[in-house]
Amino acid sequence: MTTVADVSAAAERLWPLSGAEDWDAPGLLSGDPAATVSRIVLAVDAVADTVDEAVELGADLLLVHHPLLMRGVTTVAESTAKGALLSRLIRGGCALYSAHTNADIVASGTSARLAELLQLTYALPIVETAPGLGLGRVGALAEPTTLGALARQLAGILPPTATGVRVAGQFDRPVSRVALCGGAGDSLLGEPAVRSADVYITSDLRHHPASESVETARVAAGPALIDVSHWASEWLWLETAAAELRGELPGVDVIVSELRTDPWDFVVVQ
């Protein structure tokens, strides 16, 4: 018999909580540690659609990448979005667990998965937090290509979203060294490993940091930028996480949600 506590222990082995950033809040959020688990659903976000899916599939635990209560709340009343989600999970007998920045830094984490799909060679963390562990990845493409071709390759790898793939740089610019960070990565724009790459792939690039990076590259070299959906860049990791959980928890049914939880529904191109 596998319990919520057993799942938590397996997750701790795969994605140690000690690796989480200080501001983060991964781990077990709700559920009885002694409750039995026979089915787990994995998703990037705990939102109404994924919570409903987990309960309707009879899951005993929903494991998400993004913590639902990463910032403090003063109420979990069902008149609030987070309160309604937690109540739905509790009534459905489904625990909630998250693996966030502690899953980003491991050798098989979110950025490592994207680097693997791009077939980067000698991929290393952009910022190393321990030997072989750290934020982002930087490495070489197996074969040099152009910025436009790489963007199209990414569009084929990532699940489709309304915002697609945005690029800052010339379509035919040669690229061979790639830096990337799954999820929001503009905090790494100034890192030497990013500045020395031909292109930096990440999500949620804001106007001012992106503009400054582009202008800096004009006078002091620097990467082209590719901005992709936050959800899409991290959803790729779920199948890796599922495979690792199946190895740790034989006999437990582990399902990856196919639901899109990217918040954007459509875009109007001008």
Side-chain angles (χ1 to χ4, degrees), residues 1 9 55 74 171 184 263:
M1 181 183 73
V55 172
T74 58
F171 188 92

Side-chain angles (χ1 to χ4, degrees), residues 114-130:
L114 182 54
E116 178 186 31
L117 290 169
L118 287 174
Q119 299 182 322
L120 297 190
T121 59
Y122 307 108
L124 297 171
I126 292 172
V127 177
E128 192 173 62
T129 58

